[in-house]
Amino acid sequence: DIQMTQSPSTLSASVGDRVTITCRASQSISSWLAWYQQKPGKAPKLLIYKASSLESGVPSRFSGSGSGTDFTLTISSLQPDDFATYYCQQYNSYSWTFGQGTKVEIK
Amino acid sequence: QVQLVQSGAELKKPGASVKVSCSVSGYRLIELPMHWVRQAPGTGLEWMGGFDAEKGETIYAQKFQGRVTLTEDTSTDTAHMELSSLRSEDTAMYYCVTENLNAWGQGTLVTVSS
């Protein structure tokens, strides 16, 4: 299985900060990478698919980049609603795997 | 609009089986394969399996091979996930999710306890 390594595991930030989360795949996944936001007690919400495509209805402050093995999720200006846990996921092969998550906390 | 509505929470004893359903609206199940993901309390997301439309077969994560069965009833647009030989480590929230990733069920909590 392809291993996905996310960093950092926890991130403390303030409203208005620029936030970057990275995800590394153990082998090339081309651009078959998604990013999700999850809040407590809720299902994950798709933010980005195919590494850099913004899902409909998701604010433009979220952006994704990368290809191959290295990927980045950026929040350009952190808003109160953005404090949550973020996951990356590869879907290059039919054995989807997820990163371990990054919890974005209030500083 | 695509909506996935899952069946209610389940409490099961070790060794039993559980069947979770996922009812689709807003599209036909045959148009978009379903996958299943679980999340144990306080932990990350784990893919269990899904339908590979190219091969025309259901693919299971190796970890769950032999214990999980995914089925789809296209006449009622309902997908099912059955997990057998339950153990305490199977206590988790179980989600159905469409292959295009953008629609998730609300989750079904399965608790395994004696």
Side-chain angles (χ1 to χ4, degrees), chain B residues 24-90:
Chain B
V24 164
S25 63
Y27 79 102
R28 299 304 310 277
L29 189 53
I30 198 168
E31 298 168 4
L32 193 59
M34 194 69 74
H35 290 247
W36 291 82
V37 170
R38 79 175 187 181
Q39 186 171 35
T43 69
L45 300 159
E46 184 174 36
W47 178 79
M48 300 180 70
F51 186 72
D52 182 342
E54 277 189 26
K55 294 183 179 178
E57 62 184 19
T58 301
I59 307 294
Y60 298 105
Q62 194 165 8
K63 175 177 180 175
F64 300 102
Q65 283 275 2
R67 277 212 305 144
V68 68
T69 304
L70 305 183
T71 55
E72 294 185 355
D73 183 343
T74 53
S75 66
T76 61
D77 287 321
T78 304
H80 302 276
M81 185 283 299
E82 185 168 19
L83 186 63
S84 62
S85 302
L86 290 169
R87 35 212 189 226
S88 58
E89 309 91 86
D90 294 318

Side-chain angles (χ1 to χ4, degrees), chain A residues 1 34 36 38 41-46 48-49 55 87 89 91 94-100, chain B residues 35 37 39 43-47 51-53 59 61 95 97-102 104-106:
Chain A
D1 286 358
Y36 298 91
Q38 188 178 33
K42 299 291 188 182
K45 173 189 173 184
L46 180 66
I48 302 285
Y49 62 96
E55 173 66 6
Y87 293 94
Q89 177 219 338
Y91 53 108
Y94 265 110
S95 186
W96 297 353
T97 46
F98 295 84
Q100 76 276 24
Chain B
H35 290 247
V37 170
Q39 186 171 35
T43 69
L45 300 159
E46 184 174 36
W47 178 79
F51 186 72
D52 182 342
I59 307 294
Y95 295 101
V97 50
T98 55
E99 187 174 81
N100 65 356
L101 311 181
N102 67 2
W104 289 62
Q106 82 278 19

